[in-house]
Amino acid sequence: MNTISQIPVIAIDGPSASGKGTVAQLVAQKLGFHYLDSGALYRLVALKSMHSRIDIDDTAALTDIARNLNVTFDHDEISLDDSIVTNDIRTEKCGILASQLAAYPQIRAALTDRQRKFCQPPGLVTDGRDMGSVIFPDAILKIFLTASAEIRAQRRYKQLMEKGMDANICDLLEDIQKRDERDRNRSTAPLMQGTDARLLDTTSLTIAQAQEKVLCWYNEVRAKSTFEPIH
Ligand code: DC
């Protein structure tokens, strides 16, 4: 067993606005683990490409951005080239562009090592689309967290309103459905529930209930596992 596989990883994958980020962050806090929001990396590439006016077809320039992202994660704050971009990357425009450029295998490959470096003792909770399938295939617990598209649109709407951002619920639902389709149908690392991932449908669950379920599953798999975590 290599060092990485000794560090417990909880991989939570799922569609846009399913609440996986909120749940993952809460579980990480509860366990005192590190947290990686892998979608933020794709959104950062999208934001930088917008700032640099790079065309979506210019894969070489986009890959270059992905490889050389100058980003800092400091608790809830994300900085890109020394500017705080925590809210800038959350716009629908940035999410749609992130989903488009995430279909390029070169860009995904350029972000792989950066994501794996987050796997540090005492453990990692991460969320995205391919955390369990590609980035952390040895994760001790893999979860596919989802909810109906309508509920996700409502949640995203509430989130944007709370941040003081403008939004229309019908447009959000349409964007979510389009993004699901693109994320599911791309040839590299498509969004799907792996055969080794547990399904967590949060359509009628509160955040606290979803968090509780993940912690309960984690305790269950930890009790069965033989490895000694590194502290
Ligand atoms: O989770 P999110 O909405 O912040 O992600 C934005 C986009 O980034 C998403 O539509 C697809 C892409 N993404 C990906 O392809 N793989 C990941 N592990 C995370 C996000």
Side-chain angles (χ1 to χ4, degrees):
M1 222 190 263
N2 61 26
T3 313
I4 290 285
S5 62
Q6 301 271 346
I7 301 171
V9 174
I10 301 177
I12 305 182
D13 289 306
S16 179
S18 54
K20 60 190 187 309
T22 309
V23 173
Q25 251 173 309
L26 287 168
V27 170
Q29 260 170 29
K30 185 87 185 169
L31 296 172
F33 282 11
H34 299 278
Y35 168 62
L36 165 64
D37 167 8
S38 64
L41 292 172
Y42 290 91
R43 286 172 179 268
L44 285 158
V45 178
L47 185 70
K48 178 129 188 180
S49 75
M50 286 196 275
H51 286 168
S52 316
R53 297 182 190 282
I54 290 169
D55 195 84
I56 184 70
D57 296 324
D58 191 348
T59 31
L62 292 171
T63 308
D64 199 51
I65 289 181
R67 208 172 280 133
N68 299 302
L69 267 185
N70 175 17
V71 55
T72 329
F73 291 92
D74 184 9
H75 298 96
D76 285 347
E77 205 167 87
I78 303 175
S79 302
L80 177 67
D81 298 329
D82 298 326
S83 302
I84 296 170
V85 294
T86 320
N87 286 336
D88 301 6
I89 61 165
R90 296 291 157 205
T91 63
E92 280 309 290
K93 195 174 167 199
C94 208
I96 291 165
L97 186 56
S99 163
Q100 288 169 337
L101 58 82
Y104 294 126
Q106 306 92 305
I107 294 175
R108 306 196 71 80
L111 293 173
T112 299
D113 282 350
R114 193 186 285 267
Q115 293 174 81
R116 289 192 176 140
K117 286 198 179 111
F118 279 82
C119 183
Q120 299 288 336
L124 174 71
V125 185
T126 180
D127 72 85
R129 305 294 185 287
D130 62 343
M131 295 298 97
S133 55
V134 178
I135 306 296
F136 300 107
D138 293 338
I140 185 170
L141 176 61
K142 299 182 186 181
I143 294 169
F144 189 79
L145 192 153
T146 190
S148 72
E150 289 73 18
I151 283 284
R152 288 187 281 134
Q154 282 172 23
R155 288 177 185 165
R156 175 61 45 94
Y157 181 79
K158 198 164 160 255
Q159 220 175 36
L160 292 172
M161 289 295 121
E162 279 165 9
K163 287 191 170 130
M165 292 168 158
D166 200 20
N168 171 300
I169 196 137
C170 297
D171 292 347
L172 286 175
L173 178 59
E174 201 184 316
D175 285 349
I176 279 176
Q177 285 166 333
K178 275 195 197 144
R179 195 121 67 90
D180 281 359
E181 192 168 312
R182 194 165 35 236
D183 292 349
R184 277 195 191 112
N185 294 320
R186 67 180 177 223
S187 50
T188 310
L191 168 70
M192 59 174 180
Q193 184 188 351
T195 50
D196 52 354
R198 298 176 188 219
L199 178 67
L200 182 52
D201 187 334
T202 67
T203 304
S204 50
L205 294 187
T206 63
I207 289 167
Q209 286 170 325
Q211 177 199 5
E212 204 42 51
K213 188 76 205 165
V214 177
L215 287 168
C216 175
W217 279 339
Y218 177 67
N219 288 332
E220 188 187 309
V221 292
R222 271 304 308 275
K224 282 189 201 148
S225 94
T226 49
F227 74 67
E228 284 300 315
I230 301 165
H231 289 283

